[in-house]
Amino acid sequence: MLTKKQHELLLFIHQRLSVTGICPSFDEMKDALNLRSKSGIHRLITALEERGFIRRLAHRARALEVIKLPEPVRGMARDAGRPLSNVIEANFTTPLSGVAQASPSEHTEVPLYGRIAAGTPIEALRDQSHSVSVPPAMLGHGEYYALEVAGDSMIDAGILDGDTVIIERSEVAENGVIVVALIDNAEVTLKRLRRKGNSVALEAANPDHETRIFGPDRVKVQGRLTTLLRSY
């Protein structure tokens, strides 16, 4: 049986690996769990390793692999080995704004913009009366907003129509990360970002949807996918 902090750390590592493929740093883990020092993270990782939940990967810096999840978590993220990502297809007239600041409380309320359909102006979705409660271990200390997924463009990445995705507001992202991208200051979409030379590719995760290629000045990152929520 895991302690609360062990459970929170395991879930945080799992979510980050699922979305980005990169293990969070000890500083990020410390901030996510609201701990004062990294020594506490070392102890939690050792405990999780001894209990068979994670494994350290040799010859790779800060590399961890999640081997299994506690039973209650498997119900929420049953595809632990697949990236948790999806797509939202939408056209907007303005960039995304009106986000929530994460805080080390029992739950963080993140504004939910609603179920987004193509052609819906973002201004019509900024109803601050709707929000979702997210455990702070899933967030860290960034600014976040939530979107309800409409569509199947990233279904092969493990996200279904009706899922809720939590987005960290950011203007930068590494290659391979799922991002909210603003195209030509008019259209917003959630896709996997790939940069090569002077081109930017926004990749779908469904063979029925094409990868779109743009010049670097046409695409602006509006946020990074960090967490997926699903109701059963």
Side-chain angles (χ1 to χ4, degrees), residues 29 80 86 121 150 229:
M29 296 180 198
N86 201 355
L229 304 177

Side-chain angles (χ1 to χ4, degrees), residues 158-174:
I159 304 304
L160 308 179
D161 182 78
D163 287 342
T164 299
V165 288
I166 307 300
I167 307 298
E168 180 183 8
R169 186 180 178 90
S170 176
E171 295 180 355
V172 296
E174 301 84 1

